[in-house]
Amino acid sequence: MVISFNSIKGGVGKSTLAVNFAAWLAKEGHDVLLVDGDEQETASDFTAWREQTIGNTGYTLVNMTGANLRKQVEQMKPKYDHIVIDTGGRDTTSQRAALSVADVSMIPFAPRSFDLWTINKVIEVIDEVQAIRAEPIIPYVFLSRADIKSADNREVAQALATYEQITYVPYAISNRKAFSNAAGVGLAVFEMVQPDLKAVAEINALFNHVLHGNHITTGA
Ligand SMILES: Nc1ncnc2c1ncn2[C@@H]1O[C@H](COP(=O)(O)OP(=O)(O)OP(=O)(O)O)[C@@H](O)[C@H]1O
Ligand SMILES: [Mg+2]
């Protein structure tokens, strides 16, 4: 499966979730390629930290940006079980290329910076992408960096669930220090010595849903 992380707004947690997903798939025994499609190179920095912290990263990292990304991912596809693509929030060329080649798009929304312009823009891009694809992409939207207790989450969730072009996944990723702490040393949240079990349960629920189309209970 080719899974691309996309967004119109920056800083919504794409890179954090992309690197956690790559490490999570590797832990499950899959052969994984992580594509850093962002010139900011967040996923590459994470992977460099990871090499220092645990040596073997468990996945292969490549940097590909711009229109080339599509062709290169097509070529790599037969060699891996799964390809995870991290794209930059503002780099539309890489995002479009990733959306043209991926099976699934993961589109995080941070509730506090949610606005209608962003969702409308996402719908517009998805409509354009679907029109030129042979097989439709599955566009998953979900809450990321969500407040642990907040009415904002519910309102945004309800708004996201009303669009037929996108598939709302009710497994939110909350704003938890564990995500940034782990990423800072090149680890996924489940690899920490004392993992934040709620953070681990959240990614398990989201990633299991994407991979298997089902979920496990979050325990939260
Ligand atoms: N669930 C979370 N809880 C707490 N902090 C988070 C979470 N997700 C991301 N962050 C932090 O928020 C910041 C932005 O996250 P990240 O780099 O993953 O976003 P992004 O969507 O990739 O941004 P960009 O559009 O610039 O590529 C980082 O400092 C990261 O550590
Ligand atoms: Mg990023």
Side-chain angles (χ1 to χ4, degrees), residues 64-73 91-98 100-101:
M64 303 177 193
T65 51
N68 250 345
L69 191 147
R70 180 197 160 89
K71 211 163 110 199
Q72 287 181 281
V73 170
D91 178 358
T92 49
T93 313
S94 298
Q95 289 221 39
R96 298 270 176 161
S100 74
V101 75

Side-chain angles (χ1 to χ4, degrees), residues 15 38 42 86:
S15 299
D38 182 4
T42 314
D86 181 29

Side-chain angles (χ1 to χ4, degrees), residues 24-190:
W24 187 89
L25 288 166
K27 181 202 67 172
E28 298 267 295
H30 299 289
D31 211 355
V32 181
L33 179 70
L34 174 61
V35 176
D36 190 345
D38 182 4
E39 274 156 12
Q40 283 189 112
E41 300 196 340
T42 314
S44 306
D45 290 346
F46 170 89
T47 305
W49 281 115
R50 186 168 178 80
E51 265 166 15
Q52 283 194 14
T53 307
I54 55 171
N56 183 1
T57 59
Y59 54 79
T60 304
L61 173 90
V62 287
N63 294 72
M64 303 177 193
T65 51
N68 250 345
L69 191 147
R70 180 197 160 89
K71 211 163 110 199
Q72 287 181 281
V73 170
E74 268 318 343
Q75 282 167 359
M76 300 277 199
K77 227 170 143 171
K79 303 192 178 98
Y80 293 90
D81 298 327
H82 299 291
I83 301 181
V84 178
I85 310 173
D86 181 29
T87 66
R90 286 150 299 273
D91 178 358
T92 49
T93 313
S94 298
Q95 289 221 39
R96 298 270 176 161
L99 287 167
S100 74
V101 75
D103 302 302
V104 168
S105 173
M106 303 280 286
I107 311 169
F109 281 88
R112 265 160 301 168
S113 61
F114 180 80
D115 59 49
L116 277 178
W117 182 85
T118 310
I119 183 70
N120 287 333
K121 195 76 196 155
V122 166
I123 300 289
E124 209 176 284
V125 172
I126 295 298
D127 278 342
E128 282 171 26
V129 165
Q130 300 292 33
I132 55 158
R133 285 178 57 109
E135 291 282 323
I137 194 168
I138 304 173
Y140 283 130
V141 298
F142 56 96
L143 298 186
S144 173
R145 309 194 65 189
D147 295 330
I148 295 191
K149 284 181 190 148
S150 163
D152 287 356
N153 293 346
R154 199 169 48 244
E155 279 168 27
V156 173
Q158 278 170 355
L160 291 176
T162 58
Y163 296 88
E164 63 181 18
Q165 291 98 329
I166 49 179
T167 304
Y168 173 66
V169 180
Y171 306 121
I173 302 297
S174 303
N175 213 43
R176 299 182 190 277
K177 279 213 176 82
F179 285 107
S180 38
N181 289 345
V185 289
L187 295 177
V189 278
F190 54 83

